[in-house]
Amino acid sequence: MDKEAETIDLTSLSIAPDVLALISGQTAFEMNALPISAGNGTITVALQEKYNNETVNDLAFLLGKKINVVTVPDEALSEAITRWYNLADAKRRQISVSHSEVKSVREEERLSEGSADGSVIPLANKIISDAISLGASDIHIEPYDKTLRVRFRLDGFLHEMLHPPSNQSKALISRLKIMADLDIAEKRRPQDGRIRVREGDRVIDIRVSSLPTDFGEKLVLRILDKSRLQLNLEALGFEEGDLQVFRKTIRLPYGMILVTGPTGSGKTTTLYAALNAINHPEINITTIEDPIEYNLTGINQTHVRPDIGVSFASALRAILRQDPNVIMVGEIRDGETAEIAIRAALTGHLVFSTLHTNDAPTAITRLIDMGVEPFLVASSVKLIVAQRLVRTLCLHCKAREPQRPEQLEELSLKKNGGKYFAPVGCSRCHTTGYDGRSAVYEMLSIDNGLAESIARGGTASEIRTQSVSRGGKTLRDAALRKASLSITSLDEVIRETTA
């Protein structure tokens, strides 16, 4: 941003109500910013003479517009903000937080220590509110030697959002820990907690994790917004043929269905959508998860408790005595859990679970490495789905892109072999060029031929070759298909998949 901003006199200036409403009174005071006018995709904002470029960047992201800065002496700006925003009557966006601890006056005073204006409580609310409104999946609160950084994870990527004063670090972290019912006196050990937020008519759960670092505790808040949970199979990103196979397999009376991929690739969403599709009163569906991310009506959900001896394996044994039709095991982590799940699939239960493998064929060898006999894997596993999430191009700014030589080489494409689009960036997508994510899938349906290969100990490479020869697609094939439909970019295909 250009620091040679125009200086103006605010005393006789008139500001339209709709312009003033662009920034809430609370935000105006916290950022020391006053909107003056708006037009032609630009918002003119008055800032103090020694303003920080980070403030301008934060305003541009918050408003989704180009910011034109005019400067005002500090005292005049504070007086103008006070005059235009009557905080006693201004509408504040409130977040109602429920937690078990009732805070005393002394606790509230302690939370304000280190904060020059005692604004840490509205600051904590603002961070959570902004993250929810932007659709962030995670909030990172990171203290450093002379700064405090707040980042949001949007569409899988972290973006710096705020840099509150470093003297608010301890107070902000203590505030969030109390909201999550954590021990604020314990700063040496990691802790986990939960916050429940009411946003309008929605109730949103937030998982909170603390981790001691050199300069204080880092907090990560995972936002679990059920209203954004996609439980419609058609909307997940399956191609039509793959969707038919998936729908048919999840309605089998018994067998195992595995979903594989790295953390954050959408495995839980796919499993929840599958369970939702077969959730009927005549079927008993029970899950064991670590932790339960979303509560699903009509499904019995329990979570592991290692501290009292409730592991995936022990909980799975208990579930088998609960007359289940369908069982979901959040993750197969060890041989004991794998063997129990496999035997459940062979004795009349439909079992869903996840594995952390790079693709579908290696899920087979992973189970065998855990100690499950190959013939048991061949007999029980019916379908393996490997998935990744690719960012979808913003519909408002994407543009045709000629393929670069490095893309052609990496993806083994022919020059001008297709029409591909690339991100550009606009106010609608916060200049990223992407808006949302879509899943790409590799489907490995275990037919008789593949079952025979597995039973005799076939390698992952042999299983992959056999699947492709029968028309199966790899993750890269599926991602390239989405790029050819201008849903995503070639760079995303390269980033998320391998040959």
Side-chain angles (χ1 to χ4, degrees), residues 258-304:
L258 292 172
V259 181
T260 78
T263 300
S265 60
K267 301 187 298 297
T268 300
T269 298
T270 299
L271 286 178
Y272 278 173
L275 295 179
N276 186 65
I278 62 174
N279 185 13
H280 299 292
E282 63 270 20
I283 296 176
N284 178 17
I285 302 176
T286 305
T287 74
I288 174 68
E289 306 173 56
D290 181 23
I292 297 170
E293 293 197 9
Y294 299 95
N295 295 116
L296 303 177
T297 303
I299 294 176
N300 307 289
Q301 296 171 268
T302 187
H303 59 89
V304 298

Side-chain angles (χ1 to χ4, degrees), residues 188-444:
R188 301 167 301 169
R189 295 188 180 93
Q191 297 184 68
D192 294 300
R194 195 176 275 260
I195 299 172
R196 178 155 290 183
V197 169
R198 186 173 298 279
E199 177 77 354
D201 59 353
R202 295 181 295 165
V203 175
I204 299 168
D205 283 326
I206 301 175
R207 288 208 318 259
V208 180
S209 171
S210 73
L211 181 70
T213 69
D214 272 355
F215 302 106
E217 293 174 282
K218 173 183 175 178
L219 296 185
V220 175
L221 288 70
R222 167 64 58 88
I223 299 172
L224 303 173
D225 185 355
K226 190 174 181 179
S227 67
R228 298 177 64 87
L229 179 63
Q230 183 53 259
L231 294 178
N232 184 354
L233 287 176
E234 286 80 359
L236 289 181
F238 282 106
E239 293 188 25
E240 186 56 37
D242 292 340
L243 180 60
Q244 291 179 7
V245 171
F246 191 72
R247 281 191 174 279
K248 179 180 178 181
T249 309
I250 66 175
R251 284 173 168 78
L252 291 174
Y254 59 87
M256 175 176 281
I257 297 169
L258 292 172
V259 181
T260 78
T263 300
S265 60
K267 301 187 298 297
T268 300
T269 298
T270 299
L271 286 178
Y272 278 173
L275 295 179
N276 186 65
I278 62 174
N279 185 13
H280 299 292
E282 63 270 20
I283 296 176
N284 178 17
I285 302 176
T286 305
T287 74
I288 174 68
E289 306 173 56
D290 181 23
I292 297 170
E293 293 197 9
Y294 299 95
N295 295 116
L296 303 177
T297 303
I299 294 176
N300 307 289
Q301 296 171 268
T302 187
H303 59 89
V304 298
R305 293 284 302 275
D307 55 324
I308 58 173
V310 180
S311 62
F312 276 115
S314 62
L316 186 51
R317 288 193 187 92
I319 287 172
L320 289 171
R321 296 191 289 271
Q322 290 282 310
D323 186 31
N325 300 105
V326 178
I327 303 168
M328 188 193 88
V329 183
E331 182 184 348
I332 294 178
R333 296 177 178 173
D334 52 57
E336 183 182 14
T337 305
E339 185 172 349
I340 299 170
I342 289 283
R343 294 195 180 277
L346 291 171
T347 55
H349 306 90
L350 184 62
V351 179
F352 293 85
S353 193
T354 70
L355 277 175
H356 286 282
T357 62
N358 290 327
D359 55 25
T362 53
I364 298 293
T365 54
R366 175 74 176 128
L367 288 174
I368 294 172
D369 288 343
M370 286 182 176
V372 181
E373 293 291 342
F375 75 91
L376 291 176
V377 176
S379 302
S380 59
V381 177
K382 303 301 180 184
L383 177 68
I384 303 173
V385 180
Q387 71 178 78
R388 297 289 188 280
L389 293 178
V390 294
R391 291 182 293 173
T392 54
L393 290 165
C394 175
L395 296 175
H396 303 282
C397 66
K398 66 182 179 181
R400 282 283 302 274
E401 175 193 44
Q403 297 94 66
R404 302 191 302 272
E406 64 269 22
Q407 291 176 330
L408 296 173
E409 182 179 359
E410 171 68 25
L411 299 172
S412 301
L413 294 174
K414 295 180 180 179
K415 191 172 183 180
N416 300 321
K419 297 179 180 180
Y420 299 100
F421 284 73
V424 175
C426 65
S427 60
R428 300 277 189 106
C429 60
H430 307 295
T431 72
T432 66
Y434 296 96
D435 185 16
R437 290 189 291 177
S438 179
V440 292
Y441 295 95
E442 175 186 25
M443 308 280 288
L444 183 63

Side-chain angles (χ1 to χ4, degrees), residues 44-65:
T44 299
V45 179
L47 298 177
Q48 60 188 1
E49 291 174 329
K50 294 183 179 180
Y51 68 89
N52 192 313
N53 279 340
E54 290 175 356
T55 300
V56 182
N57 293 334
D58 290 342
L59 285 167
F61 191 93
L62 179 68
L63 299 172
K65 302 286 185 181

Side-chain angles (χ1 to χ4, degrees), residues 17-18 25 27 36 60 90 98 104 148 152-153 163 176 179 181 200 249 252 286 355 366 451 477 485 495:
D18 57 335
T27 300
I36 302 297
S98 66
S104 66
L148 175 65
F152 294 172
R153 189 175 292 280
H163 288 269
L176 292 169
M179 291 167 68
D181 199 20
T249 309
L252 291 174
T286 305
L355 277 175
R366 175 74 176 128
D477 293 335
L485 296 173
R495 187 178 68 85

